[in-house]
Each structure stands twice: as structure tokens, then as C-alpha cells.
Amino acid sequence: MLNTTEKLVSALVKITETSYAINISLPDIEIRVLAVGPNSFLGKTSVINTADAQMEIDLIGISKSEMNKGHAAVSFVSYTNIPSMLNRSFNSETNMEQTLMSTLVSATLPKTTNKTLNKPVNFTLKHTPILNPDHIPSCVYWKETEWVVDGCTLIKTNSSHSVCSCDHLSTFALIMQINPTQSDQLIVLLNTTFVAVGLVFLSLALLTFAIFRGNPRVTNPALINLCISLLLAHLLFLLTQHFLQYIQPKQLVCALLAGVLHFLFLSAFVWMFIEAVLLFITVKSLSKIRSKQKEALIMRCLIVIGYGSSLIVVGMSAALGPNGYGSDKCWLKEDRGFIWSFLGPVYFIL
């Protein structure tokens, strides 16, 4: 049905030198079409409204692509009867009960050659039920046979509306997770407990290194930096997940925390690798006399490698995929393979 509607809407689009809009309102569907040409006087951001939704898109920026030659068109369709048909098709990592809480909206770029978005598109969706403050809505899009949470980020929400920012066009909606099962609550409790226990022992390890810092048989700079990376990473992870409902709507903060977590966890794996290399060298050189000055110089170089290599990976990832940080859990987004900016170095180290 979605594909058929998209084809019918595409047939409405005609090439224009200025701009024109088409509005169709029926009991179960609302269609809005906006087309621009080289001589259009529209502003950079085009706002398209239906009764229950709104879309903000830089259509002029898309039209200025070399392939589009000044022409572009966007369709915005709002459905009111489809949500009940798709309500249970969710791609979720938990067993929480989930329900659609908005009308479906579909956005496409019909008869537009280059469909690359210059800027993320913002969708404002009206809640169909009254939103409980304890429930967190999620922005999702329809991918062939199921709802997928990656690709869109919730940037603002209140009791009646939510705003989603998406880096592509598709069919979108809001879902709400309610009534967590006992097993879900147990997993959250165990996760929090184990991370907290880990933080205690990491703190004790650092305290031990601090007390015996003058003893070369105890002090190990590689392990110290490993403990620091793990301690900061798990502490930030615990705080982020605990305050997720307050952090998630703030897209920039969520993405920044994801970048810091990426750096800290990568640093931990790099220091694991350095420790393994140092152990190997130590075993191979047991009979050799070691120079303390030389060891100090080597350790300074290792600190640069331990943190510098992680910083380079995070910097390159942010430069190549600036929208890859800030998933619904304030971590790396899994769409477009961005998660491999973390998994790739980890697999290499292992």
C-alpha cells in the first residue's frame, strides 16, 4: 500500500520553473506535494503541514545539486488508518510492550535525480494517546518488513508532540515502550549491579597502584591506564543509561556522550593490546638489564599511542560520519555500518 501510494503521488509531480504545491485531503490520508524549480523564491527550509504532522526540509538545497539542475520535489503523506495494521511489527532488543503513538507519515523525493539530503529532515508528530511522563517515545522508520529504530533521533518531546530528526526519507512513526516485563527489570538490575561492582574493584586497583607507586614490581603504567579507561567508560555508561530519558531528547549532548564512550572503550582495548605486547617483550628479555630512563621514554610514547590512536579513530569517524553518533541509547548508530568504527579496531586487537 505504501509503495502504491508513492507511485501515485509521483505521477502528480510535474517539472516547474518556479514552484507549486498540491494538497489532497481524504478521510484516511492527507497528501502534500511541493515542487521547486530554478526560479523558485522559497526559503532554504520548506515547512509542510498536515493535520497531525509537520515536516521541515531543505528542498532548495537539494535542488541545487548538480544532477538535479535546480529541480526537486518532495511528497509528504500522512496516514490515519494504517497504524493498527503495523502495530506489532517491531525490531526491538527487549521484550517490552511497544505501541504506535502517532499517525504514519511518509516522505519521498519523487522525480528528483539526486536524493541526497544536505541537512537532516525534522518531523513533528502529534501523539495519538496522552503521553505518560515516565514513558520514552522512540522515532522509527519502516524498513521492508519491520520498524527500525536507527537512522532517526528524538530531539524534543512533550505531552502532545515529539520532534524527530532523520538523515534519510522513508515512512516514519513514533513508538512508545511500556510495561517492562520482570525479566527486563531483572536484566537492568543485574547490569547496574555488575557495572557498579566493577567500578568498585577498578577503584581498588587504582588505589593499590597509588599506594605502591614506588614499587616497580607492582606499578604497571599500562594497567593503570587500562583501569582509568575502563573506570571512566563504565562510570559514564552507567550515568548515561540512568539519565537516558533526560539526555536522549538533547541530540547534541547524546552524540557527544556517545563519542566520549567510543574513545574510552577504544582506549581500554588499545591498552589491553599494549599490556599484552609488554608482557611478551618482558618474557623474551628476562635476562637483559633494563634502563629506567629508556623505560620512561618508551612509556611516554606508549601513552601517546594508547590515547592518540583512539582519538584518531574517533576523529576520523566523526569527520566521515557526523550523524553516526547518538543512537536511541546514546551510542553508535548501527545503520550504514558506522558501528564498525568500534568493532573494526576491537576485532583487529583481538
Side-chain angles (χ1 to χ4, degrees):
M1 182 176 180
L2 295 173
N3 291 335
T4 302
T5 304
E6 182 178 336
K7 291 178 182 178
L8 292 173
V9 170
S10 180
L12 298 174
V13 178
K14 306 296 180 183
I15 300 298
T16 180
E17 292 300 315
T18 55
S19 64
Y20 71 88
I22 299 175
N23 299 324
I24 300 175
S25 297
L26 300 173
D28 295 327
I29 188 173
E30 289 185 77
I31 300 174
R32 303 288 185 264
V33 176
L34 178 63
V36 297
N39 300 323
S40 173
F41 294 99
L42 295 179
K44 287 187 175 181
T45 301
S46 302
V47 180
I48 305 175
N49 292 283
T50 64
D52 298 319
Q54 176 181 285
M55 177 176 66
E56 299 176 26
I57 184 171
D58 182 13
L59 191 60
I60 296 296
I62 297 172
S63 69
K64 291 181 179 179
S65 167
E66 184 177 350
M67 296 178 63
N68 293 331
K69 299 179 180 179
H71 298 280
V74 62
S75 67
F76 187 49
V77 183
S78 177
Y79 303 90
T80 57
N81 63 340
I82 295 185
S84 59
M85 300 163 56
L86 307 178
N87 201 32
R88 296 189 176 276
S89 302
F90 293 107
N91 178 21
S92 174
E93 298 177 355
T94 69
N95 294 320
M96 300 178 79
E97 181 183 341
Q98 297 178 320
T99 181
L100 281 170
M101 55 176 297
S102 72
T103 56
L104 264 69
V105 296
S106 183
T108 58
L109 294 171
K111 296 185 179 179
T112 302
T113 305
N114 185 357
K115 300 180 184 294
T116 304
L117 298 179
N118 299 334
K119 300 177 182 178
V121 179
N122 290 343
F123 297 93
T124 302
L125 303 177
K126 182 181 178 181
H127 303 160
T128 47
I130 299 298
L131 180 62
N132 188 319
D134 296 330
H135 298 157
I136 304 174
S138 297
C139 303
V140 295
Y141 74 96
W142 185 254
K143 187 178 181 181
E144 297 180 358
T145 59
E146 61 187 2
W147 290 112
V148 181
V149 297
D150 288 324
C152 286
T153 305
L154 180 72
I155 60 174
K156 190 185 301 181
T157 186
N158 55 34
S159 60
S160 60
H161 292 79
S162 291
V163 181
C164 300
S165 179
C166 305
D167 56 12
H168 66 284
L169 297 183
S170 180
T171 298
F172 304 95
L174 288 172
I175 62 170
M176 181 170 58
Q177 298 182 343
I178 57 176
N179 300 331
T181 63
Q182 291 184 350
S183 60
D184 295 325
Q185 293 176 333
L186 179 61
I187 290 174
V188 172
L189 178 61
L190 288 175
N191 181 60
T192 303
T193 303
F194 289 148
V195 171
V197 171
L199 290 175
V200 171
F201 281 101
L202 286 169
S203 300
L204 289 175
L206 288 174
L207 180 62
T208 303
F209 288 131
I211 293 174
F212 295 98
R213 61 182 178 273
N215 189 337
R217 298 180 62 185
V218 177
T219 304
N220 185 324
L223 286 181
I224 291 174
N225 285 283
L226 172 59
C227 289
I228 291 173
S229 297
L230 286 175
L231 178 68
L232 294 177
H234 284 94
L235 179 61
L236 183 60
F237 170 79
L238 192 64
L239 292 174
T240 300
Q241 298 308 308
H242 184 72
F243 297 105
L244 186 62
Q245 59 179 328
Y246 305 107
I247 298 174
Q248 192 184 48
K250 297 176 175 60
Q251 186 179 15
L252 181 61
V253 176
C254 185
L256 182 62
L257 289 173
V260 176
L261 283 171
H262 187 195
F263 168 74
L264 291 173
F265 278 120
L266 270 184
S267 297
F269 276 96
V270 173
W271 281 111
M272 291 179 197
F273 178 71
I274 291 174
E275 171 62 10
V277 173
L278 291 178
L279 283 172
F280 176 77
I281 293 174
T282 301
V283 172
K284 295 288 288 185
S285 309
L286 286 176
S287 59
K288 295 182 181 179
I289 299 175
R290 293 176 294 181
S291 169
K292 290 186 177 181
Q293 290 182 346
K294 187 177 180 180
E295 286 184 356
L297 180 61
I298 291 174
M299 190 48 59
R300 291 193 188 97
C301 294
L302 290 179
I303 289 176
V304 173
I305 294 172
Y307 294 111
S309 58
S310 303
L311 191 61
I312 290 173
V313 172
V314 174
M316 291 180 62
S317 302
L320 297 175
N323 296 322
Y325 289 102
S327 67
D328 59 325
K329 298 294 183 183
C330 291
W331 177 235
L332 309 185
K333 296 180 181 177
E334 297 184 10
D335 57 330
R336 302 186 182 182
F338 190 80
I339 190 67
W340 284 98
S341 62
F342 175 71
L343 295 181
V346 169
Y347 283 149
F348 174 78
I349 289 170
L350 294 177

